[in-house]
Amino acid sequence: MRLKMCSIHVKDPAAAHAFYTGTLGFETLMAMPEYNLFIIKDPGTNEQGADAGSVGLLLEPSDNPIGANYMNALHDAGMPAIVFGVPDVQAEYDRLREAGVVFKGEPAEDASGISAVFDDGCGNFVQLHQD
């Protein structure tokens, strides 16, 4: 058994898809704009996500009140909705800031490691954590 797909609620799946692929560098696993359906995957993985244990990430529309409440409550509390692993948080922080991404603060180290949190502009805070 393996984890195949998870989701993150977003305000606008098409805009989130553009940001997550164009700015963050993920790849499209499935895009069906007519159904507001967008699934992304780690860059460089095959369709099944077999390389590096990749998991599909569904950019879930927050048009359901339960999803919208959850997404908004996390954002209002300043909590990341998802964590992405990167080999070098400082390098990603620099690259993404140059691309216009807004971070809550500079990379910081604590007992869990080095991390930084940014706003995806789609209703979520996202944490980068150094692998």
Side-chain angles (χ1 to χ4, degrees):
M1 190 179 307
R2 66 182 174 79
L3 183 59
K4 183 172 182 173
M5 184 169 46
C6 60
S7 67
I8 183 172
H9 288 273
V10 295
K11 293 179 181 176
D12 179 344
H17 178 258
F19 175 76
Y20 280 71
T21 57
T23 303
L24 298 184
F26 287 92
E27 294 178 357
T28 301
L29 180 60
M30 179 184 293
M32 299 175 71
E34 64 275 18
Y35 297 107
N36 211 19
L37 175 64
F38 298 90
I39 303 172
I40 59 170
K41 64 185 181 80
D42 292 344
T45 58
N46 64 30
E47 288 291 316
Q48 290 76 35
D51 298 343
S54 183
V55 174
L57 179 62
L58 171 62
L59 302 171
E60 180 115 25
S62 61
D63 52 3
N64 177 306
I66 295 169
N69 289 341
Y70 177 73
M71 179 188 69
N72 292 330
L74 282 178
H75 194 271
D76 291 349
M79 296 173 60
I82 195 162
V83 178
F84 295 140
V86 296
D88 185 338
V89 169
Q90 185 65 52
E92 280 300 307
Y93 172 85
D94 294 340
R95 179 183 78 82
L96 294 174
R97 278 199 38 135
E98 196 168 297
V101 175
V102 177
F103 280 80
K104 288 181 68 174
E106 295 199 13
E109 186 169 5
D110 62 18
S112 70
I114 301 170
S115 64
V117 176
F118 66 87
D119 192 323
D120 71 359
C122 304
N124 300 288
F125 287 114
V126 176
Q127 180 176 339
L128 298 179
H129 188 270
Q130 192 156 308
D131 292 336

